[in-house]
Amino acid sequence: MFDTGDVELLYELDVVVGFNWPLWRRTTTVDVAEAPVSDAVRLATSIIRAERFGGPAADPDTLRPILDRLRRWYETERQA
């Protein structure tokens, strides 16, 4: 189970988005540290949704690299 605060933060920031996450998850591999921020968002969504809808439980540390990637984008890469 994930840290509730991390999951709530992702929802508050609108990082959990609607898209065909089951297909994306089956067909995509992501190195989140170097991934485009859009892939970090998709990865976060697919992990949270999979756990919510009865998929295999993910390692609780899975979201930390995603949060780090989103923070790096916010602090250094986004257009102001």
Side-chain angles (χ1 to χ4, degrees), residues 40-77:
V41 167
R42 290 181 190 105
L43 184 57
T45 298
S46 69
I47 291 167
I48 290 169
R49 295 284 192 211
E51 185 170 275
R52 179 175 179 194
F53 293 110
D59 179 344
D61 295 329
T62 305
L63 289 181
R64 183 55 43 200
I66 296 168
L67 292 169
D68 292 343
R69 174 66 184 103
L70 294 171
R71 180 177 294 111
R72 189 176 86 224
W73 169 80
Y74 183 82
E75 291 175 350
T76 65
E77 299 172 25

Side-chain angles (χ1 to χ4, degrees), residues 2-72:
F2 297 119
D3 180 314
T4 304
D6 288 345
V7 173
E8 288 175 1
L9 176 63
L10 290 170
Y11 274 104
E12 286 174 24
L13 296 173
D14 290 327
V15 171
V16 180
V17 297
F19 76 105
N20 188 349
W21 60 267
L23 176 62
W24 185 87
R25 189 171 182 167
R26 285 192 307 271
T27 60
T28 305
T29 58
V30 174
D31 172 9
V32 73
E34 299 303 320
V37 73
S38 58
D39 280 347
V41 167
R42 290 181 190 105
L43 184 57
T45 298
S46 69
I47 291 167
I48 290 169
R49 295 284 192 211
E51 185 170 275
R52 179 175 179 194
F53 293 110
D59 179 344
D61 295 329
T62 305
L63 289 181
R64 183 55 43 200
I66 296 168
L67 292 169
D68 292 343
R69 174 66 184 103
L70 294 171
R71 180 177 294 111
R72 189 176 86 224

